[in-house]
């Protein structure tokens, strides 16, 4: 247990660089789901490991050991190490829970407000046009999905550019990108290193929608121009909306435009990046599962149910 215990807490520090590598070398959609899934798994393993540390420390306290029906001392590292580690784990878990709960409340409030605004407007299919002097466009998930665009944004683009912009937003909804963005948001509250991965996931979602829009309209240069002009028009802050409601004018737009003009990435290229992400997630899961199983076995021994 001693050897494997730190791994789930240390591996998230490697993910930001692995995530950037994946986005540079994988197709954007593959990078999006690979990075978001890996971040969520690492976050879960972090929470399990902190829980194991907390449990080990709590069972060192006599009244909790009695409550847990431990008839023998729990075999762990010395209490001088385990109890402070448990206290630090309790603080980390409490902070994670607090910040995650606050984020969920804020995101839910913004989502309800955005859905209410879209519900007050007449919709043409999935398109909802909001009369506003502030240029903005974003994909709003829900039942049904909506593509919300303001009149100011429509005026900022010509007809073909509008088509490319709407194709981009529809690609977000069709691809379920809000799930990956929500997963990255959850992971960011479980480990400080995973906060940097959140921006990579957001960029991957925009790149995936860029590629889908270019394929839909059949013109990469037109899509790049639409994205650039939408970003220039939307430079003032847009209306409040949930972070998982992706918009075409967000993220490092010059990098996205260069990628569109450079052409699509060959399928299957640089699968090493995906393998590294999978290895990182697998190692973290194995380490946390092994550690949890080891502590469970030690507790059963201390309860007299098994031999050491």
């Amino acid at each position: 247990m001693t050897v494997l215990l730190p791994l789930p807490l240390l591996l998230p520090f490697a993910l930001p660089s692995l995530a950037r590598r994946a986005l540079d070398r994988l197709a954007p959609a593959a990078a999006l789901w690979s990075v978001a899934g890996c971040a969520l798994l690492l976050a879960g393993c972090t929470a399990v490991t902190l829980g194991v540390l907390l449990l080990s420390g709590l069972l060192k306290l006599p009244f909790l050991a009695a409550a847990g029906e431990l008839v023998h001392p729990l075999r762990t590292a010395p209490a001088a190490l385990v109890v402070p580690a448990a206290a630090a784990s309790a603080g980390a878990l409490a902070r994670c829970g607090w910040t995650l709960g606050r984020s969920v409340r804020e995101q839910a409030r913004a989502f309800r407000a955005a859905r209410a605004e879209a519900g007050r407007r007449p919709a043409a299919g999935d398109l909802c046009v909001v009369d506003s002097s502030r240029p903005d466009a974003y994909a709003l998930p829900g039942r049904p999905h909506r593509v919300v665009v303001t009149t100011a944004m429509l005026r900022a683009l010509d007809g073909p550019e509008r088509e490319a912009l709407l194709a981009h937003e529809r690609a977000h909804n069709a691809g379920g990108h809000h799930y990956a963005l929500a997963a990255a948001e959850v992971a960011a509250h479980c480990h400080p290193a995973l906060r940097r991965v959140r921006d990579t996931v957001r960029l991957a979602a925009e790149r995936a929608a860029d590629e889908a829009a270019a394929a839909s309209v059949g013109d990469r240069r037109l899509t790049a121009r639409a994205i650039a002009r939408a970003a220039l028009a939307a430079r003032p802050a847009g209306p409040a909306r949930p972070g998982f409601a992706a918009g075409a004018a967000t993220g490092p737009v010059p990098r996205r435009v260069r990628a569109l003009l450079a052409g699509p990435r060959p399928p299957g290229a640089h699968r090493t990046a995906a393998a590294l992400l999978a290895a990182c997630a697998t190692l973290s899961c194995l380490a946390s599962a092994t550690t949890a199983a080891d502590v469970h076995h030690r507790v059963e021994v201390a309860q007299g149910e098994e031999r050491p």
Side-chain angles (χ1 to χ4, degrees):
M1 183 182 75
T2 305
V3 175
L4 295 178
L5 182 62
L7 283 180
L9 304 179
L10 296 177
L11 285 172
F13 289 102
L15 188 58
S17 61
L18 290 178
R20 291 190 296 269
R21 179 188 178 97
L23 184 55
D24 289 338
R25 303 194 176 191
L26 293 175
L32 170 65
W33 293 107
S34 298
V35 173
C38 186
L40 194 60
L41 283 173
L42 291 183
C45 293
T46 296
V48 168
T49 302
L50 291 175
V52 167
L53 285 170
L54 176 59
L55 177 63
S56 299
L58 290 176
L59 291 178
K60 283 290 187 180
L61 302 177
F63 69 97
L64 289 176
E69 300 180 350
L70 303 189
V71 297
H72 305 293
L74 182 66
R75 294 177 54 225
T76 63
L81 295 177
V82 173
V83 173
S89 298
L93 286 170
R95 179 174 175 79
C96 290
W98 169 256
T99 59
L100 181 58
R102 185 177 59 184
S103 176
V104 168
R105 289 193 301 271
E106 292 173 353
Q107 297 286 333
R109 188 182 304 116
F111 177 69
R112 287 194 298 268
R115 291 294 302 186
E117 181 183 32
R120 290 193 296 267
R121 313 288 178 172
D126 65 342
L127 180 61
C128 177
V129 179
V130 177
D131 187 12
S132 173
S133 60
R134 179 175 290 164
D136 196 19
Y138 58 94
L140 184 61
R143 294 185 179 180
H145 291 326
R146 288 281 184 257
V147 171
V148 180
V149 60
T150 64
T151 52
M153 178 62 81
L154 293 177
R155 288 193 295 269
L157 306 178
D158 61 27
E161 290 167 351
R162 293 173 192 166
E163 181 183 355
L165 178 70
L166 296 180
H168 174 101
E169 303 302 351
R170 289 187 173 112
H172 280 309
N173 282 334
H177 296 169
H178 50 284
Y179 293 117
L181 294 172
E185 181 68 22
V186 170
H189 294 281
C190 296
H191 195 290
L194 299 178
R195 296 170 192 164
R196 291 180 288 165
V197 178
R198 181 169 46 188
D199 291 336
T200 303
V201 171
R202 288 173 178 167
L203 176 56
E206 296 306 325
R207 285 283 299 113
D210 290 344
E211 292 295 330
S216 176
V217 302
D219 190 334
R220 299 182 69 84
R221 297 188 69 85
L222 168 63
T223 305
R225 188 172 72 246
I227 297 302
R229 292 190 63 183
L232 289 173
R235 186 164 294 176
R241 62 175 186 263
F244 53 81
T250 59
V253 174
R255 179 177 174 181
R256 293 167 53 198
V257 169
R258 286 195 300 270
L260 280 168
L261 297 178
R265 189 168 288 122
H270 302 290
R271 292 180 179 174
T272 304
L276 288 174
L277 288 174
C280 183
T282 301
L283 184 58
S284 183
C285 289
L286 287 175
S288 60
T290 302
T291 301
D294 181 70
V295 170
H296 181 264
H297 173 72
R298 290 170 186 260
V299 170
E300 289 185 332
V301 170
Q303 290 174 334
E305 297 179 6
E306 291 189 15
R307 294 183 179 179

